Amino acid sequence: MRQKLIAGNWKMNGLTEPGLSLAEELAQRMHRAVELNDPEPPNCDLLLCPPFTLLAPVWSALAGSGISLGGQDCHTEISGAHTGDISAMMLKDAGCTHVILGHSERRQDHGETDAGVKAKAQAAVEAGLVPIVCVGESEGERDSGSALSVIAGQVAGSLPSLVTGEEAVLAYEPIWAIGTGKTATPEDVAEVHGAIRALIAERDGEAAASNLRILYGGSVKPENAEALMATADVDGALVGGASLKADDFWAIAASCP
Ligand code: PGA
């Protein structure tokens, strides 16, 4: 049975305040849950991915809480003349265990390609991080019936071939559902997640594929989390907007069965 993962993607949001208070509030809830069972600890792993500037203070705020820290991007190289970039090794050094890669906003805003995402994912694994590789179709691709083939191409192109289901996480984020309030139906999500797992099974075998966590992302909120988290092959959520509110993020985590 795969433990679910609820990851908060803060995107380009958060100065010291309210970022620090948000991390502290979640850490306190985890402490109370684990020590006093009040409320019950969520049945999932929790991860926060703040902007780079908040990694250090959020890491301190989360100390001992069991909530992990992740970055939102990394470079393909370990170090060097790349002004403005951050390497996977730097994220690891800052306390990260995970890094989001190939988010559709980076693919759109920075022209990131599948091959570039793959190189970043390889660098992340080599640095000891778990890459959360994002894939997802546009509204036009869904309407024209090509969603599954687009996603298959992204998975094949973005996930290094040697990476197994234990070393990486995949996130299915239909672009039309991100930040729009529209969510894919549980049936559509189950179809895509099942197809992704089948693809990984082809390259890694059933056993490796059965370890792969596949997150859903795109307007996940407390109102739809229960149905999504109960959907076949959904192993958690990548949460944007709702991860900026402690109550909402906690409620999504608490919805994991
Ligand atoms: P959203 O973002 O939850 O605000 O739709 C999800 C994401 O982009 O990771």
Side-chain angles (χ1 to χ4, degrees), residues 80-103:
H82 302 288
T83 303
D85 280 315
I86 301 278
S87 76
M89 202 66 108
M90 289 168 173
L91 294 178
K92 177 88 177 159
D93 185 52
C96 292
T97 52
H98 292 70
V99 57
I100 299 169
L101 293 175
H103 190 282

Side-chain angles (χ1 to χ4, degrees), residues 3-8 25-27 29-30 33 39-48 66-67 216 220-230 234-239 242-257:
Q3 171 86 341
K4 292 202 193 312
L5 170 66
I6 303 295
E25 169 71 26
L26 291 167
R29 287 186 194 216
M30 273 302 268
E40 255 182 49
N43 193 18
C44 60
D45 296 331
L46 287 179
L47 170 72
L48 296 185
I67 304 175
Y216 170 76
V220 177
K221 38 191 187 258
E223 299 76 43
N224 58 26
E226 200 175 329
L228 286 165
M229 292 308 109
V234 173
D235 305 303
L238 184 53
V239 186
S243 73
L244 297 171
K245 293 189 193 133
D247 284 345
D248 287 0
F249 191 62
W250 190 265
I252 292 167
S255 75
C256 291

Side-chain angles (χ1 to χ4, degrees), residues 143-225:
D143 291 345
S144 69
S146 57
L148 285 180
S149 63
V150 167
I151 293 161
Q154 289 172 335
V155 170
S158 309
L159 197 67
S161 51
L162 295 177
V163 167
T164 69
E166 273 167 344
E167 285 172 327
V169 171
L170 269 165
Y172 167 51
E173 298 205 307
I175 296 169
W176 49 269
I178 295 175
T180 58
K182 295 186 205 166
T183 331
T185 64
E187 293 73 30
D188 288 341
V189 174
E191 182 186 35
V192 172
H193 283 219
I196 291 174
R197 197 174 305 287
L199 282 172
I200 302 300
E202 271 173 28
R203 59 154 86 175
D204 271 346
E206 289 294 332
S210 68
N211 292 326
L212 179 75
R213 293 201 278 196
I214 307 174
L215 314 184
Y216 170 76
S219 297
V220 177
K221 38 191 187 258
E223 299 76 43
N224 58 26

